[in-house]
Every structure is written in structure tokens, then in C-alpha cells.
Amino acid sequence: MNYRFAAASLAFVVLLGGAPAGAWAQRANEPITLNFQNAEIEAVARTMAAITGRNIVVDPRVKGTITLSTDRPVPPAAAFNQFVTTLRLSGFAVVDSGGLLKVVPEAEAKLQSGAVSVDGTASGSQIVTQIFRLNYENAANLVPILRPLISPNNTINVNPGNNSLVITDYADNLQRLGRIIAALDVSNATDVEVVNLQNALAVDIAPIVQRLLDSSATGTAAAPAPAGAGQSDTAFRTTIIAEPRSNSLLVRAPNPARLNLVRSIVARLDVPGAGGNAGNVHVVYLRHADAAKLAIVLRAALASLNPNPGAAGSTAAAGNPVSGTPITTSGLSGSTGTAGMSAATTAPVTPSAQPTTGGQIQADPATNSLIITAAEPQYRQLRAVIDQLDGRRAQVLVESLIVEVNQDKAAEFGVQWQTLLNSVNNPVVGVLGTNFSIGGVNIIDLATRATSTTNPVTPSAGANFGLVRNINGTPVLSALARFFDSTGDGNVLSTPTLLTLDNEEAKIVIGQNVPFITGQFTNTGTSNSSVNPFQTIERKDVGITLRVKPQINDNGTVRMTIYQEASSVQAGTENNLNGPTTNTRVIESNVLVSDGAVVVLGGLLQDQYSGNQQKVPGLGDIPGVGALFRTETRTRNKTNLMVFLRPVIVRDPSESDALSIDRYNLMRAKQQNVQPAPSLILNSVDTAPLSPEIAVPPPANPRINSPFIPAPATTAPSVR
């Protein structure tokens, strides 16, 4: 049965409302011919609800008329789809919310849609939210491609956590987007490809091709993915690694086209050298290793393989670099040099580099390169060894902490007295008293020489209490009591720091160059007037000396050969005829320390006590009164000395920069703290020197923070 609906008047709506519901339910599956001309949307929606048997609610904001007609009868489901499509063209949408169909504005549909699909089974013209999970492609890269294909009122979002897309749109459009995403979400990156070379060396070809591909990618690459896309830019970069053992290239490209480009470039470069390579002479420029030292190593390797020693060249050829002296005590205190200066002061930093001569391998120190004369197979073997040895060497920062605390205490007490038993006019004069020498000058010398003009004697340090008798008009000291107590404290803290290459010795000396007399000659007692007196002087470094040679192990530990010396001139001996006396503390050891750990090298804990007493036997032991017949001194010396060490491995330029900037800012903060106070009179010199501020902020690297050196103050006084 065909039904023809004319909704041009309200009578149809009234008639439809009065029709029995059972009649419409029985005819729900029968074909229907639609003919709505400028009908109200609400009226058409009520008609579709009666035809499909589902509840349809029209949002009050949905206003207007639509035209919907069919040339032949269609099933009710097809009629409903045409109704939804017509609403879509008018800016409205039908959403399914818990079985209830709602007609709402298209902009509100994405907020009220309850259907969420993961497998892409939704269909029709309803608003649906679907999740697309990607396996290979970056989800953020597909947003600019899919956004124009989605209606302006609907959304597309990226979840970088699981690399997925969340799209809200019409179900039929989501099916189309699903097919597009499936075509784009494929594994473009190729597997690792091995490209074997026949003539060229892999270590030479790899950097050339890599640089060429990187430059072309930079010029043609698309805009970078936004932050948080979840995939690094390296995923779209062609990687080429040289494998010296098989003389091949390992290539991983983002797509097959890029791989074919690499093959094409390599094929053009892998050709025999022009002119037979000029007699098999090769020049290898080194990046990190020393050419002269490496040449000796390679000659020795060839000499062990070649039974003819002359073929590889003597390892003792000219230009052998002067190796560093081993860490020993000899030469650490300095030696006599020109004009009394230390030999280390006048010696050059490094000897003049001269090209080596002879053999298959020659070194040119001026360009830090090797000149190798060898056939192609042998050159490949040598080149593989060179590439392994010519690597960037790590550095080691060695921080040493020397802590010395001294405490000296001395206490003295004594009583001396002398008296005459008879008058000085008697033929025999008796003397009674005590005369002690420890702790000070004895009373007899003090009484007889205190007023001497030729060789006077003064009382000892401390509190002196005496009695003077008048003997025939001459004052004579007859009794002396002395009290003395002294305390001396010393606290020395030194932190010498060294930065050196792995397995290279370094030295730092902080102190004075003190002269020591080693011999002298005078012409006393000779008649030869042509002989002039002279002295021979040797200068030695007195202060803090640190020599260290670190060696980095594979497990991150550092093995160090250490020589640590802390010396000083004994106070009061600077002008001695035989030269000053020096106090020396030396530690020479080999230790194994973890990276960044603190280790104690050694030290001295000394507590020394000494006491001395002079007394009159018997009388000096009487309690109380015995103090008048004795003198006593007591001293106690405590010395606490410890040496600590902390190595830090610096492997890359970022750590080196962080270390340098950290120490630079530390010294700049110290300079800011010693700026002079403002003065109206001395305003011509109102600032102290101040290092310029580094504009580049220090890289964040907590490893370089030293526990031995306090961090600079966060605030510093302003500099005028």
C-alpha cells in the first residue's frame, strides 16, 4: 500500500494525531512515498516518529521548514535517513541518546551524542564519536590532513599518550575518514639495509652521504610536529652507520624512496680512485688523537705482523713525541733553571712538532694527520684501527680537599729566689735560693745582666712578679715568680682542582718558589785577590702540589695515580744562615674511586704532650709550700690533617660547559662581594675589577656541584 502525505496544511497533522497507533505500527515496514513541501521540521519529525516507531524530540532552538520528497516508495529506514540528511543540509542533526532521538543544532550535536565507536561499525547520518588508534603514523601529523574533511562544527583531537585520534562527526563521514587513516597508518620505515662497498671505505662514505641527506631533509621537510606529539624527529631521519669490519653501510630510511636514494648515491661514490690513488698514498685527518703518538702505535702494530722490520718503519723514527714523566717525587719540588728560576718556568709547554720520516706511516703534526703508504686491503685494516683509536676522550675533574686543624697549648709556673746569708762586708758571704732554667731565664742571669748594655737579658713572656733588695745602694733581684699560659689555633683549608684528559697526567702548584743555599765559597785566608766569593742557590716550590693521572674504567670508576704535597716554611726560620726549614706532608698513592664519589687519601691525627719540671729535692714535693722550690712547664700539641679526593667524569661538551659556567659564576660572586663601599672622597676609584656576566645560562647538571666548594650567594651587592 502506498501512502501519500501532503503536509502543506495543519489538517494533516491533526489527522495524523488522531490515527490509531496500532495502525501505524502494523504498517511500519511498508514502503512509503514522501512529499513534504516547506513543511515545519517539528511536524515532519512527528511523522517520522510515527513511521519508525521511535521517539523523536525536537529541540526548541530548531526552527524552520524543509522539503522532502521521493519519486517512488522507499522503506521506512530509507525515509528516515533522507530526513536526517535533509536536516544536516539545514544545519541540524539527529543524535541518539539512550534510545531517544533528538533533533538539535549541529554545533550542539557533539556535546549530546552518546554513541562512541572504537571498531568503526557505526553507520548512517547520525553524530558519532569514534576513536582511531594508530600503529605507525604520528597522530598529530594526521590532524592537518583530516581537519578539512570534518564539518566545521565537529571536532578532532589527539591523545599523545596512546597515539590515537578522537573524532566526532557524522557516521558516514567517519567511515570515509577511517579508510583514509588506514591508508596513511602504514609502516614507512624500512628495515635495516646492508650496503656492501667494493672500492670506497665505509668510514669515508658514511659521513658524506649522511651530511647530504640531512641537508636535503632540512630544506624540504614539513613543519615540525607540535610539542607533545609523542614521537621524536629522529623517527623520520635517515640513519647511516659505517661497519668497518665488513666495509659496509648500515642504512635505515623512513621510506623506500629514501632508501633507493641512498643506494643511488653510494653506487656513484663506490668507484675506484682516479689514477690508482697516486701510488696507494692515503691522508687521514685525525679529529681527536695525536698524529705523532698514533703513528708510533700503528708502526708497532705493523712491525708485529710484518716479519720484515723495515717494511713498517722503525718505531724510533724522528719526531717521537716526548712522553710525560711518571708521577714520582723527583722533580716535584722544582730544579735550578736559568737565572735562578724553576726549569718548569722556562721550558716550553710542548716540544716543537716535526714531521716523522720513514716507514709506511708518517705523521704531520702541523695538520694532525697521518700519511699512509699501503695497498688498499692493508689501508682498510689500518683505517679500521684508526677509527677506533681516534675517538673523543673523556675528561676527569679532580677536586682535592686538604683540611688541617692545629691546636697548641702551653702553661708554665715557677718561683725562683736568691738571698745573702751574711753581710757583703764579711769575708765570707753565703748564698741560699733556687735557680731554674726551664720556662725562662734563671734568676742569677736576670739579676746580673738585666741592666747590662752589652748583653742584656729580659724577663721571659708571661706575668713576672719579683722582689728587689737594696744591697749597698744597688738594687738586686732576690725573688721572681712567673705565670704563663698560651693557646695557638690553626685552620687551613685548601681545594686544588684539576681538569685533565683521560689517562693524561696533570699538575698544579700553588705556593712560593723559595731559595735554598746549596754551597758557598769565600777567599778568606788566601792571597789570591782574583777569587771572588759566591753562593749557589736552588729554588724549590713550597706550597700545595697536586699531580694526578686518571684512568677511566668501563664500569664508571676512575683509577688515579696521585702525588699530593702540602709544604710550608717554618715560621721564624726565613733568615737562618743554613736556609729556612720547611714542613712537608706528602701522599703518594694509587686509588680506585667511583664517578662523583669522595674518598679519603690519608691524613694525620696527632696528639702530643710534654711536661718538664725542675725542683729542689724534698722541698719541692711539700704540698703548698713546695711551689716555692720548683718551676714547671706543660705543652700539648694537637694536629688533625686529612686529604680528600673527588673525581668527576666529564664526557661531553654540555657537562664541560656546565662546569666552566658554574665555576665562573662562583668567582664572579666573590668579586661582587668585595666591591668597595661608596666614598665621597675616594670616588675616583669606586669599583673593583669585575668579570663580565655570561649571557648564556648554565646547563642544568647537578653532577658538577662540588661538595667541597660552597655555592655562590643567590643575591650579591649591586655594582656601581
Side-chain angles (χ1 to χ4, degrees), residues 410-414 438-440 460-461 482-485 632-635:
E412 301 176 10
F413 173 74
I438 69 170
S460 301
R482 180 172 178 267
F483 304 88
F484 177 72
D485 191 0
E632 185 176 3
T633 63
R634 296 178 183 180
T635 59

Side-chain angles (χ1 to χ4, degrees), residues 324-328 332 500-501 503-507 547-550:
T325 57
I327 298 182
T328 58
L332 289 180
T500 181
L501 283 175
N503 213 26
E504 291 288 345
E505 179 185 339
K507 172 183 177 182
R547 294 184 68 175
V548 62
K549 184 177 182 180

Side-chain angles (χ1 to χ4, degrees), residues 415-422 429-436 443-444 469 471 476-480 616 619 628-629:
V415 176
Q416 303 180 65
W417 54 274
Q418 292 286 332
T419 184
L420 299 178
L421 296 180
N422 297 324
V429 178
V431 178
L432 177 65
T434 59
N435 189 36
F436 303 128
I443 190 172
I444 294 179
R469 292 181 60 188
I471 301 177
V476 177
L477 182 64
S478 61
L480 176 64
V616 177
L619 297 178
L628 301 176
F629 301 95

